[in-house]
Amino acid sequence: MPPAEGGPLRGSSAVTVVGGGVLGLTCALELARAGHRVQVLSADPVQDTTSAVAAALWFPYRAAPVDAVLRWGAASLAVFTELSADPSSGVVLRPGTVVHRTPEPDLWWAAGIPGLRPATADELPPGAPAGTRCTLPVVEMGRYLPWLLAACSAAGVDVAAARVTRLVDLPGDVVVVAAGLASGVLLGDDTCVPVQGQVVRLADPGLEDWLLDEDNPAGLTYVVPRGTDVIVGGTAVEGANGAEPDPRVEAAVLERACALVPALRDAPVLSRAVGLRPGRPTVRLDRTVVDGRPVVACYGHGGAGVTLSWGCAADVAALVSSP
Ligand SMILES: Cc1cc2nc3c(=O)[nH]c(=O)nc-3n(C[C@H](O)[C@H](O)[C@H](O)COP(=O)(O)OP(=O)(O)OC[C@H]3O[C@@H](n4cnc5c(N)ncnc54)[C@H](O)[C@@H]3O)c2cc1C
């Protein structure tokens, strides 16, 4: 189980968390485990959030600043690694390859990743000049988000459906804003931008390894097998906020993915989805005072909200508990 369980009780405030995606729920769980009384208000059911669309490979994609991202990512990696021992969590550790298409790739994300090594020629997909092999958590969100909800419920968190329009109306001693892309509206922050991503879910033809090819000249490509299905992506269109899958985009994504992983060629399509990553120049995680009450902000995680979730939730719990 995650390390926060059983930790010392640091206080008991009434905390209202706005947002029931991966960040809001993980923050709520950490806060409840720290001894707070927590209510989550979420405009959407968890299966309709951006979090439910995530691939979700542990990888700090499109998130900044680097130092904090590395720290949050490392903390989350440790928790996901522990959770992989519990099959009900939907977390598994899988080997895979990050493709490199430049002579001196920047492995800024790789500090602390166990088992990292250059890929051998026979481990590289067709046409890929180089790559790094490593084993990372793959988080099956269709199983993980219900696990997280159940863990929140067991810790005494109350999760309710509600769309918040004004923070001043909320109950609680402290408010946590973890509403993804909508957080900026609630806090008067106009630096948030959607980064649209489209994925297609295929039947798994028996793949063992994930693949990430960020610099593919034809476009971002990733293949994340999960046992019965494979998430294939993707796109990252800054400023686009359409939520409907585009068949032409899907055809192009599949073409790229099948070129790299030919075993996908005849795999049946199971479903398709579009999600809006909560883009921001940097993740916002701080404590301010709004209408005379402490407000902790936790949003703007771009393409790495799952990857950073446990590290950020620990910081949120510390900020809520601080005097
Ligand atoms: C195609 C795609 C692939 C991705 N792959 C990965 C990956 O491999 N690894 C990874 O780490 N990340 C990945 N991501 C990114 C990840 O999904 C996001 O960073 C993460 O889901 C953000 O979580 P969140 O909780 O901040 O926001 P969300 O999941 O968007 O949740 C926001 C919550 O706030 C609620 N809300 C909004 N407005 C209000 C309001 N006014 N009142 C009350 N509640 C409100 C919503 O109902 C929802 O519950 C991917 C994203 C996409 C789109």
Side-chain angles (χ1 to χ4, degrees), residues 18-24 41-44 49-51 53-57 59 162-164 178-180 182 186 197-199 222 275-278 301-307:
V18 185
V22 71
L23 266 308
L41 299 177
S42 179
D44 305 287
T49 61
T50 297
S51 299
V53 178
L57 178 68
F59 198 85
R163 184 171 294 278
V164 174
L186 292 170
Q198 181 165 336
V199 291
Y222 50 84
L276 302 181
R277 300 176 182 90
H301 297 80
V306 183
T307 303

Side-chain angles (χ1 to χ4, degrees), residues 28-120:
L29 182 54
E30 287 289 64
L31 287 162
R33 287 174 172 173
H36 300 292
R37 288 159 285 130
V38 186
Q39 181 177 46
V40 172
L41 299 177
S42 179
D44 305 287
V46 75
Q47 67 272 16
D48 293 345
T49 61
T50 297
S51 299
V53 178
L57 178 68
W58 181 100
F59 198 85
Y61 177 66
R62 281 184 96 112
V66 169
D67 286 356
V69 162
L70 286 173
R71 187 168 61 75
W72 293 325
S76 305
L77 181 66
V79 177
F80 284 128
T81 300
E82 284 185 40
L83 286 176
S84 69
D86 173 1
S88 72
S89 70
V91 181
V92 295
L93 300 180
R94 264 189 193 271
T97 304
V98 179
V99 170
H100 305 314
R101 294 185 183 269
T102 51
E104 290 180 20
D106 182 1
L107 300 186
W108 67 273
W109 51 270
I113 305 287
L116 200 92
R117 62 170 175 78
T120 58

Side-chain angles (χ1 to χ4, degrees), residues 63-214:
V66 169
D67 286 356
V69 162
L70 286 173
R71 187 168 61 75
W72 293 325
S76 305
L77 181 66
V79 177
F80 284 128
T81 300
E82 284 185 40
L83 286 176
S84 69
D86 173 1
S88 72
S89 70
V91 181
V92 295
L93 300 180
R94 264 189 193 271
T97 304
V98 179
V99 170
H100 305 314
R101 294 185 183 269
T102 51
E104 290 180 20
D106 182 1
L107 300 186
W108 67 273
W109 51 270
I113 305 287
L116 200 92
R117 62 170 175 78
T120 58
D122 62 331
E123 289 168 333
L124 290 169
T132 291
R133 293 282 297 174
C134 53
T135 295
L136 295 174
V138 171
V139 183
E140 190 179 333
M141 299 306 276
R143 297 173 65 198
Y144 180 67
L145 290 171
W147 177 91
L148 204 47
L149 269 177
C152 282
S153 172
V157 175
D158 175 39
V159 180
R163 184 171 294 278
V164 174
T165 52
R166 300 190 319 164
L167 299 186
V168 71
D169 298 331
L170 298 176
D173 308 315
V174 184
V175 169
V176 174
V177 177
L181 200 51
S183 304
V185 178
L186 292 170
L187 288 169
D189 170 4
D190 62 6
T191 64
C192 301
V193 59
V195 183
Q196 185 198 56
Q198 181 165 336
V199 291
V200 52
R201 195 168 66 95
L202 304 179
D204 191 342
L207 302 181
E208 297 291 332
D209 295 359
W210 50 264
L211 180 79
L212 174 59
D213 189 3
E214 268 188 78

